[in-house]
Amino acid sequence: MTKQNKEKIFKSFFKLLEEKQYSEITIVDISIGASVSRKTFYRLFKNKENLLNAYVDQLLTDWIEYADKQHPQSYEDLITFLFEFWKQYIPQLTILVNANLSSVILNKFNSIFPKYFIDFHNQHPSISYKGKNYTSTQMKYIAILSVGSLWNAFSTWLTHPTEISLSDLADIAKNNFFAN
């Protein structure tokens, strides 16, 4: 029941984000839309910010699980799998971007992606990044630059999806990062 209530609350939250500014959405609004009591809401989330963070945390946990199941063998694979993963969440991510909440996603990615990127790098010692060897600290900043660049391009695409196909955007990203 808890999982069902969380899903109903997330669904209500996203529906409201399409209709109202984030700052205008109340716990009462979310609860009514989810057909749950405020008590149920507060049993699952501390507040609206906690709800948003819980959604993004779950999204990133799902990304790591997805990427691990794909068994990437190159940095190009990581980009491919990142775009494939994001594709599954286009409606929700579009709503968050349109609600000016893109920075929440990027900040969360910045907190987890460097470790994932460094672990990937360490697990694949035969693969160098752009033909060079970097320290873990350098790899951390490469990861932050990379995910920031990728998210910026993807979130821009979300607001203008007819300008270019998502697969073309992924190809541009791979060529940009790995062209000699």
Side-chain angles (χ1 to χ4, degrees), residues 121-122 128-140 142:
H121 180 75
N122 290 336
S128 63
Y129 182 80
K130 291 206 168 208
K132 298 179 183 175
N133 292 317
Y134 294 96
T135 67
S136 287
T137 301
Q138 290 170 320
M139 290 304 290
K140 170 186 166 184
I142 290 169

Side-chain angles (χ1 to χ4, degrees), residues 95-127:
I95 291 167
L96 292 171
V97 167
N98 288 338
N100 296 316
L101 297 170
S102 186
S103 63
V104 174
I105 298 164
L106 181 57
N107 289 339
K108 292 282 186 176
F109 253 111
N110 283 340
S111 72
I112 63 114
F113 194 72
K115 181 185 179 329
Y116 183 86
F117 191 75
I118 291 166
D119 288 347
F120 174 81
H121 180 75
N122 290 336
Q123 291 167 7
H124 298 82
S126 63
I127 303 172

Side-chain angles (χ1 to χ4, degrees), residues 55-103:
Y55 179 81
V56 176
D57 287 344
Q58 186 58 56
L59 182 74
L60 296 182
T61 298
D62 292 349
W63 147 247
I64 291 170
E65 289 175 9
Y66 177 83
D68 286 346
K69 286 179 186 172
Q70 303 305 312
H71 304 290
Q73 297 300 308
S74 67
Y75 294 109
E76 292 90 341
D77 285 350
L78 282 179
I79 291 175
T80 298
F81 299 145
L82 185 60
F83 277 90
E84 286 175 2
F85 176 78
W86 280 341
K87 187 176 181 178
Q88 301 171 65
Y89 295 93
I90 287 173
Q92 298 88 345
L93 294 172
T94 300
I95 291 167
L96 292 171
V97 167
N98 288 338
N100 296 316
L101 297 170
S102 186
S103 63

